[in-house]
Amino acid sequence: MAAPRPILFTAFEPSGDELAARLIAELRRREPNRPFFAWGGPACEAAGAEIVEHTLEHAGVALDVLAQVPQHLARLKRLRRWLKDHPIDCLVPVDSPAANWSVCAAVRKHCSESKVVHLVLPQVWGWASWRVHKLRRLTDQVLCLLPFEPDWLEEHRVPGVFVGHPMFSPAPPGNPAGDRGGDPSAIAGSENTPDPSSAQDLFRGPGLPLAILPGSRKAEIQRNLPTMLRALAEVRRRGVEIDAVLAARTDADAVRMRSWMEGEGAALGPGGAAAVVVGRTRAALRAAEAALITSGTATLQAVADDTPCAAIYNHSRWQWELLGRWIIATRTFTLPNLIGLWQDGERAIPEFAPHFGDPRPVAEALHGLCADPATRDRQRRRFGGMRAVFEGVDFDRAAADAFIAATGKP
């Protein structure tokens, strides 16, 4: 019997690395002799994939990826050479369409018999919707994390299936992806398993416990943290007592956060300060009464943990005015609001995306969230309805089943 051919995963974001790891671990459990390779990061490696190239160092989003074009073109040349020596059964591109479209095209050209199964639907429904034609050419199946996506894909003649979301499916025991705590955008891990004792020491001061999640990338933190802290300072100036914790993914992120507060942030005065914790994002979110979050997967964490929140994503105004507003169709960006609109036509949380740095509207929303228990209760009721959509859908099992149905592998 011929040895099974490899499956290749390509992930370019920390969250994608964690997501890929979940599926890798489940597929390896079902067929331990199949080789798995990844253009990815530490989570894929921990799950058992052989890392061909580390790809998370320059993670970016939306218009930011333009600066990375030269590096990605060089990476594609290396990928084509690698494919000549490693014919694969299937490619699993994970999110990051700006990077993965060209990877899919290369596999279609150099390994024409290989299947392409997207893990996460690139948000073609949200911006540059003409890309659905490209998606149709470059996929055999899409594993969708959001419940409204398969219907949209069906309208555009693209096969897709809802497989749930890891945020609502704790990693099974022994899943290496389950040991990766701390990333605000991480969607796998031991942080999905409740552990109330882990949060007891996070909020010690007086006031309402507030978790601030400024992002998982250096650029995100630099762009969003100043506005977040100025909004926090303004709410405190209005007389609301808040015990704030900043959640950092890594020690390097924590150093950057503290440096900003000690340097430029000094102008905020004592009211702008917050404690910084590393690798305990999920614990902080669970222990908090409210959260201020850089828009991304962490907003869905808030839904899973029943933590009322507001979301922000600062962007370059000139990039948005010249390019973004014309190619991005949606004016709703956060995951809770997208699900809320699908459910009942109403947003669930205050969102400021794209935003351009003004802390005043963010402070206004944050003040309502922190000062008014009824506002928090309304969000929690909405969150309960959202969680019901994901109940009973185990991501690891559903994603592996859908993968096998689409590919016949393993």
Side-chain angles (χ1 to χ4, degrees):
M1 179 181 295
R5 294 171 66 180
I7 296 172
L8 174 64
F9 285 73
T10 53
F12 298 89
E13 306 277 349
S15 58
D17 184 45
E18 296 279 353
L19 187 61
R22 294 284 290 255
L23 182 54
I24 291 169
E26 177 64 17
L27 291 175
R28 286 188 69 243
R29 186 186 68 79
R30 301 187 185 196
E31 193 181 22
N33 293 326
R34 181 176 293 279
F36 293 84
F37 292 92
W39 256 252
C44 284
E45 188 171 21
E50 181 178 337
I51 300 298
V52 182
E53 188 167 322
H54 287 276
T55 56
L56 308 188
E57 293 85 354
H58 304 289
V61 294
L63 305 176
D64 297 332
V65 300
L66 296 176
Q68 301 171 27
V69 169
Q71 295 95 320
H72 188 63
L73 291 176
R75 180 184 290 133
L76 284 173
K77 289 183 179 180
R78 296 191 293 272
L79 172 65
R80 295 185 192 103
R81 290 196 297 268
W82 185 87
L83 288 172
K84 290 180 180 179
D85 298 324
H86 301 83
I88 61 174
D89 256 341
C90 183
L91 168 71
V92 184
V94 188
D95 208 355
S96 304
N100 269 318
W101 290 131
S102 51
V103 172
C104 294
V107 168
R108 283 289 201 229
K109 180 176 181 180
H110 296 282
C111 298
S112 58
E113 295 181 359
S114 300
K115 299 285 188 179
V116 177
V117 176
H118 285 262
L119 179 55
V120 183
L121 171 62
Q123 290 184 2
V124 289
W125 43 261
W127 66 285
S129 58
W130 61 84
R131 297 176 303 162
V132 70
H133 305 296
K134 182 185 294 186
L135 179 65
R136 190 181 303 121
R137 295 195 309 271
L138 298 177
T139 190
D140 294 286
Q141 181 66 279
V142 181
L143 309 184
C144 302
L145 273 62
L146 301 178
F148 56 83
E149 293 175 328
D151 290 342
W152 189 92
L153 287 174
E154 185 177 8
E155 292 176 7
H156 293 83
R157 295 178 288 112
V158 178
V161 59
F162 175 55
V163 297
H165 198 291
M167 195 67 66
F168 303 90
S169 301
N175 183 345
D179 299 326
R180 320 292 312 178
D183 183 348
S185 64
I187 36 63
S190 57
E191 292 211 73
N192 276 5
T193 303
D195 179 12
S197 64
S198 68
Q200 289 179 352
D201 62 333
L202 288 176
F203 295 98
R204 293 183 174 180
L208 181 127
L210 175 72
I212 300 179
L213 281 59
S216 60
R217 308 180 190 93
K218 179 181 177 181
E220 281 183 339
I221 295 169
Q222 291 175 333
R223 185 180 295 134
N224 293 291
L225 182 58
T227 302
M228 291 172 140
L229 290 179
R230 291 187 180 115
L232 169 63
E234 174 59 27
V235 174
R236 281 173 166 161
R237 279 193 288 268
R238 297 186 189 185
V240 180
E241 200 167 25
I242 295 175
D243 181 15
V245 163
L246 275 170
R249 181 174 62 95
T250 65
D251 290 329
D253 289 344
V255 169
R256 281 189 283 268
M257 293 176 191
R258 293 188 182 103
S259 176
W260 194 91
M261 285 191 290
E262 293 169 1
E264 297 179 59
L268 300 174
V276 180
V277 298
V278 180
R280 303 183 68 188
T281 299
R282 202 67 190 270
L285 201 54
R286 283 198 177 101
E289 280 293 314
L292 181 57
I293 302 175
T294 291
S295 179
T297 308
T299 57
L300 205 57
Q301 278 189 347
V303 174
D305 293 336
D306 208 24
T307 306
C309 66
I312 178 177
Y313 199 93
N314 279 330
H315 214 298
S316 162
R317 185 181 291 275
W318 73 264
Q319 284 187 333
W320 173 255
E321 295 293 345
L322 291 179
L323 184 59
R325 69 163 53 252
W326 306 110
I327 66 172
I328 299 177
T330 184
R331 290 300 181 263
T332 300
F333 294 88
T334 62
L335 298 177
N337 283 343
L338 289 166
I339 296 172
L341 289 174
W342 170 72
Q343 285 186 314
D344 58 22
E346 298 290 337
R347 289 185 174 191
I349 68 173
E351 75 166 57
F352 303 90
H355 195 62
F356 308 109
D358 185 355
R360 291 171 295 181
V362 182
E364 191 66 31
L366 186 61
H367 180 271
L369 196 62
C370 293
D372 183 12
T375 298
R376 299 195 295 274
D377 288 342
R378 282 194 296 272
Q379 278 201 24
R380 290 191 178 104
R381 286 194 293 272
R382 296 293 304 281
F383 288 177
M386 293 178 192
R387 288 193 298 273
V389 175
F390 295 90
E391 288 178 358
V393 185
D394 181 86
F395 169 79
D396 301 84
R397 186 177 295 109
D401 288 347
F403 176 89
I404 292 168
T407 64
K409 316 291 181 182

